[in-house]
Amino acid sequence: MLEVLFQLSQLDEALPNSIVMNFNGAEENVLQASHGFITQHPWAKDIRAFINLEAAGAGGRELVFQTGPENPWLISTYEKSAVYPYGNVFGQEIFQTGIIPSDTDFRIYRDFGKIPGIDIAYISNGYVYHTKWDNPDFIPAGSIQRAGENLFATVKNIAASPYLAHPGDYRHGNMVFFDILGAYMVLYPQRVAMILNVLVLVAVLLGFARKVADKSTEGYHGSLFFKKLLAVTGIIVLSWTVAIIVNALLALFLSVTGHAMSWFTNSYLIGGLYEAPALFSAIAVHHLAKELCFKSESDPWKLESIHFDATMMLWSALLAVLTYHGICSSYVPLTWVIFPLICRDRVVAFLQFAFKEKGQRFFYLYIASLSFPFLITSYLLVGIYQMFVPVMGRVGTEVNPDLVISMVGIISLVIKTNFLSLVFVTRTIRKVLCILFAMTVVSYILVLFTPLGFPYSGNPRKPTPQRSIIHHVERHFYDMAGQVEKHDQGIWHIPFDHVSVEPLLQHNAALKNAALADCVGDMYCGMPYYLPMATMMKNTHYLHTERAPTVSTAVAARLLSRQHLPNNIQRLTFSITGPDHMIVIMSPNFNVTMPAWSLGDGIPCPLLWDWGGRHIYFVFYSHGEFPGPWTFSVDLQVSDSIKDNHINQEVLEIAFSGHYLHGSDRISEELAEYLSKSPDWSYPVGWVATYYNYKF
């Protein structure tokens, strides 16, 4: 950004519009700085568009993974400006589903500023993201040069765009966009995609109708065409199903035997662990079908042709579903339909003299027809692996990463389905099966019996660490009379992945005495979560210590007042003082609702997690300079059954926790000692936290 700013300042002519370079922090503080800028800064009202620079890794190519909303002129300007374009609408649609555990300032500018923009991020080497290795040493100089050239041209052209004055006039829907090997970007409006997709689907249906009615065409005809089509479609789906079962069983086998995430450091092992078994299973099913179900078929090319029709039907079905739901990533199945359709249907018909007999020429033509869709889909798949393999180290304890990666292996199989038709015209497939089987066996031997199968590495040149957050916690639980029910202190270890603390046991024997957090009996596991991530990280470990951490600014919470309002509503007003980062977690009892609070407008939104049927509300509070006591109120609507019959029944459980992220209170002696036992392949982040739980 500084270099772009310098280069812009050297331009001979002034830009027609101003550019604001906003350097802000506090992103990990729940995006507060960007929110403060776009909602309160006097310049914010003049902002018409933005480019947000992000990182989910270190170096590599910077990916355009979000644009808009709508305003297709933005991605169009990027396409015309970027020297090395790299972006895909698939990334945008995946990211906006929320399955990637991350968020960016893009959402703040979009939702609170109501302005369109482009989100660009480094995604390579996500292993070092947010670790001590996340520094310039891991960013190749070429990456910075490449990003600078792309960004400088894009910023300059957006600032000079005639659309910038009134961008709302040029919304016009979303865009389909994807790059081809970083050399060229394809983009077209979603409405054009809808028309194109429908036309291609109609062409496929007409092609099927012609094959049924016109007996001069190759292959099967009439009702026999549909019977064979359904039979071969069933074989393809069966091959996928068998591959899914095989990969799932292999993933569970690795997890049960203590070799989960064995591909995390050496990602090339995925080829032998999951991709080879999936392809082996699919080819084996096709080979058995050829030998058992179609043994009497004299012309194998008829089987190859009907298999082609079956793959066309499956890709067309996927294309129809994605088109119906307005998914821009429908360009992927579109390429798998349109290119083979043109080559096999039109080119062969036009050059009948060259393809009177199917053989090598036809084989090469068919492979050529699959080259472009296979290229762009494989290119996309490489990006998925590049992004998702490191992300598996921070998706939490509740997701089995091996199952996720094994299913990505199934996606890899699906894009090879068109090639499986060649099984029917190949004399023998045993050599291919033997090679795939050998790849699988060798990979599992390496994983099970050599150090290559260990998931993590502390290699300073290529670290692939296990992440965790570790707190030294003091907990207080009070009953409705204000008396202490439970008081303890301990080390709370939060692993970030499914492997959990198992590899750490040989380095820290005390961990064997740690107990799992009680997420059934205690509200939100009874722990001071810094963010609402218990659904991701439920399998956490608590190791009791003799001494509690000492802090200079303790959390002090008190009930200021309880007002009785109409409609059985009780308003509880609290006052809290403490450190600059505090969390409030609360849960109304059964038959008690929370229609309002002073923390925001509208009805409060509970977490997706419920505690035995009770809603849970999570509040993150932080400040810079001390603003004085924090006061807020919650309204509780109590049902008549509780009001009339249970005077002393609990209506609200509420917990206040303080997090000491900096200063002398951050690390206690016990926490320092615990952290010192971490091996070089472990990256723990630790600080002191306190927890006070009350019932009213």
Side-chain angles (χ1 to χ4, degrees):
M1 285 177 69
L2 285 172
E3 181 64 18
V4 169
L5 178 60
F6 173 74
Q7 294 296 332
L8 289 171
S9 72
Q10 303 303 303
L11 294 176
D12 294 331
E13 297 181 4
L15 291 167
N17 295 290
S18 299
I19 298 173
V20 175
M21 295 285 186
N22 182 20
F23 298 83
N24 67 264
E27 189 192 36
E28 303 310 321
N29 221 47
V30 200
L31 311 172
Q32 286 181 332
S34 57
H35 183 271
F37 172 79
I38 205 63
T39 59
Q40 299 179 37
H41 199 283
W43 294 348
K45 65 180 182 299
D46 296 322
I47 304 295
R48 293 294 180 267
F50 68 92
I51 298 175
N52 185 48
L53 300 183
E54 287 291 337
R61 296 183 295 168
E62 72 289 350
L63 172 71
V64 174
F65 67 102
Q66 288 191 98
T67 67
E70 299 187 320
N71 286 274
W73 64 274
L74 279 169
I75 187 64
S76 180
T77 304
Y78 170 84
E79 180 268 333
K80 294 172 183 175
S81 308
V83 185
Y84 315 103
Y86 183 42
N88 200 298
V89 71
F90 178 81
Q92 173 174 296
E93 292 177 332
I94 286 293
F95 189 84
Q96 291 179 355
T97 64
I99 66 173
I100 296 177
S102 187
D103 199 0
T104 77
D105 290 326
F106 179 94
R107 177 178 64 82
I108 302 299
Y109 295 131
R110 178 194 67 196
D111 294 353
F112 294 92
K114 308 299 181 184
I115 52 177
I118 302 176
D119 217 359
I120 304 176
Y122 284 124
I123 62 169
S124 295
N125 196 13
Y127 299 107
V128 303
Y129 172 66
H130 284 191
T131 69
K132 63 184 178 184
W133 297 282
D134 199 353
N135 59 58
D137 294 339
F138 283 88
I139 302 177
S143 294
I144 300 174
Q145 180 66 33
R146 171 202 155 87
E149 291 182 31
N150 283 344
L151 185 64
F152 174 66
T154 303
V155 168
K156 187 171 67 171
N157 288 334
I158 288 179
S161 173
Y163 301 114
L164 197 60
H166 303 286
D169 296 340
Y170 306 96
R171 292 179 67 91
H172 305 317
N174 294 315
M175 293 285 278
V176 177
F177 63 92
F178 59 94
D179 72 288
I180 302 175
L181 302 180
Y184 180 76
M185 177 163 276
V186 177
L187 70 163
Y188 50 94
Q190 186 182 19
R191 61 183 182 278
V192 173
M194 299 279 284
I195 296 170
L196 179 60
N197 293 353
V198 170
L199 289 175
V200 169
L201 290 171
V202 170
V204 172
L205 291 175
L206 291 175
F208 282 173
R210 187 169 61 87
K211 289 183 179 182
V212 171
D214 187 357
K215 294 186 179 181
S216 65
T217 58
E218 65 173 2
Y220 302 100
H221 307 285
S223 62
L224 183 60
F225 173 81
F226 286 112
K227 289 180 181 178
K228 294 292 185 179
L229 182 67
L230 291 176
V232 176
T233 302
I235 289 167
I236 295 173
V237 174
L238 176 63
S239 70
W240 292 347
T241 305
V242 171
I244 289 171
I245 293 171
V246 167
N247 270 18
L249 290 175
L250 291 173
L252 293 174
F253 168 76
L254 289 176
S255 298
V256 169
T257 57
H259 294 87
M261 295 180 65
S262 51
W263 37 263
F264 187 64
T265 293
N266 303 302
S267 56
Y268 60 83
L269 289 171
I270 295 172
L273 294 176
Y274 295 123
E275 293 210 2
L279 186 55
F280 177 94
S281 303
I283 293 176
V285 169
H286 280 72
H287 181 65
L288 287 173
K290 174 186 174 182
E291 296 297 322
L292 299 177
C293 302
F294 302 108
K295 197 170 185 179
S296 60
E297 181 59 62
S298 59
D299 186 359
W301 285 103
K302 276 190 175 183
L303 292 177
E304 190 278 337
S305 179
I306 200 71
H307 188 282
F308 167 76
D309 291 330
T311 56
M312 291 292 285
M313 185 175 74
L314 290 168
W315 282 119
S316 297
L318 178 59
L319 177 62
V321 170
L322 296 182
T323 303
Y324 176 79
H325 289 285
I327 305 298
C328 292
S329 300
S330 59
Y331 81 87
V332 175
L334 174 68
T335 59
W336 281 104
V337 174
I338 196 169
F339 283 91
L341 185 67
I342 292 172
C343 285
R344 286 194 59 141
D345 219 27
R346 295 296 88 206
V347 173
V348 171
F350 183 71
L351 302 175
Q352 287 185 2
F353 66 91
F355 299 101
K356 287 182 179 179
E357 293 184 5
K358 289 188 175 179
Q360 274 194 340
R361 290 179 180 177
F362 182 83
F363 170 80
Y364 291 134
L365 176 68
Y366 183 45
I367 294 300
S369 74
L370 300 179
S371 297
F372 182 74
F374 185 73
L375 175 69
I376 65 165
T377 314
S378 299
Y379 178 63
L380 178 61
L381 187 66
V382 169
I384 291 173
Y385 275 128
Q386 184 183 41
M387 179 71 182
F388 272 86
V389 169
V391 164
M392 291 298 103
R394 53 188 175 92
V395 294
T397 60
E398 306 310 298
V399 174
N400 186 327
D402 278 87
L403 281 175
V404 175
I405 296 300
S406 71
M407 292 306 108
V408 177
I410 298 300
I411 297 174
S412 177
L413 166 65
V414 170
I415 69 174
K416 301 182 184 83
T417 299
N418 287 63
F419 297 96
L420 295 178
S421 65
L422 301 176
V423 171
F424 295 115
V425 294
T426 306
R427 289 179 185 151
T428 177
I429 206 72
R430 291 179 181 175
K431 287 184 180 179
V432 175
L433 290 174
C434 288
I435 292 172
L436 292 172
F437 184 75
M439 286 178 59
T440 302
V441 171
V442 169
S443 297
Y444 276 85
I445 289 174
L446 292 174
V447 163
L448 296 173
F449 303 110
T450 75
L452 284 175
F454 187 71
Y456 313 111
S457 171
N459 182 350
R461 294 184 177 180
K462 190 185 175 183
T464 54
Q466 184 188 42
R467 301 164 185 260
S468 55
I469 289 179
I470 300 170
H471 299 300
H472 190 193
V473 176
E474 182 178 18
R475 302 191 302 169
H476 302 78
F477 295 82
Y478 298 90
D479 61 18
M480 285 192 293
Q483 301 300 310
V484 176
E485 283 185 324
K486 182 169 65 174
H487 172 229
D488 61 24
Q489 58 274 334
I491 299 293
W492 182 34
H493 192 124
I494 310 173
F496 268 45
D497 63 39
H498 189 69
V499 176
S500 193
V501 299
E502 294 301 321
L504 294 168
L505 295 179
Q506 58 181 311
H507 299 276
N508 190 344
L511 259 176
K512 296 177 181 178
N513 300 319
L516 290 175
D518 183 3
C519 295
V520 177
D522 293 332
M523 178 185 66
Y524 215 58
C525 305
M527 291 294 181
Y529 279 96
Y530 181 69
L531 293 170
M533 56 188 186
T535 50
M536 294 172 55
M537 299 166 184
K538 190 190 302 183
N539 186 19
T540 64
H541 303 262
Y542 191 58
L543 178 65
H544 288 276
T545 58
E546 292 185 3
R547 292 190 300 172
T550 56
V551 294
S552 57
T553 307
V555 173
R558 63 194 183 99
L559 179 66
L560 289 182
S561 66
R562 183 200 294 257
Q563 296 174 265
H564 296 271
L565 305 177
N567 299 317
N568 293 345
I569 291 177
Q570 296 185 22
R571 175 169 295 166
L572 277 62
T573 301
F574 298 94
S575 176
I576 313 168
T577 57
D580 49 29
H581 286 74
M582 292 187 288
I583 308 298
V584 177
I585 305 172
M586 46 191 152
S587 177
N589 205 345
F590 301 106
N591 299 317
V592 179
T593 59
M594 188 185 294
W597 58 9
S598 63
L599 300 171
D601 298 328
I603 299 174
C605 182
L607 300 177
L608 295 177
W609 169 304
D610 68 61
W611 175 38
R614 291 172 59 168
H615 287 318
I616 294 179
Y617 300 84
F618 192 102
V619 181
F620 179 99
Y621 174 79
S622 66
H623 61 76
E625 295 181 354
F626 180 60
W630 174 34
T631 302
F632 70 92
S633 64
V634 297
D635 289 357
L636 302 172
Q637 189 166 31
V638 182
S639 70
D640 290 331
S641 60
I642 295 180
K643 182 175 180 292
D644 297 337
N645 302 317
H646 301 86
I647 295 174
N648 292 319
Q649 181 168 323
E650 170 196 330
V651 293
L652 179 71
E653 183 168 340
I654 185 168
F656 307 93
S657 58
H659 288 261
Y660 301 84
L661 282 82
H662 54 86
S664 58
D665 292 339
R666 178 176 174 236
I667 303 291
S668 65
E669 291 183 11
E670 287 78 6
L671 182 55
E673 181 183 359
Y674 187 91
L675 293 173
S676 69
K677 297 177 181 178
S678 301
D680 61 356
W681 47 261
S682 174
Y683 182 69
V685 176
W687 65 84
V688 164
T690 56
Y691 180 88
Y692 299 84
N693 181 290
Y694 299 89
K695 296 181 178 69
F696 291 92

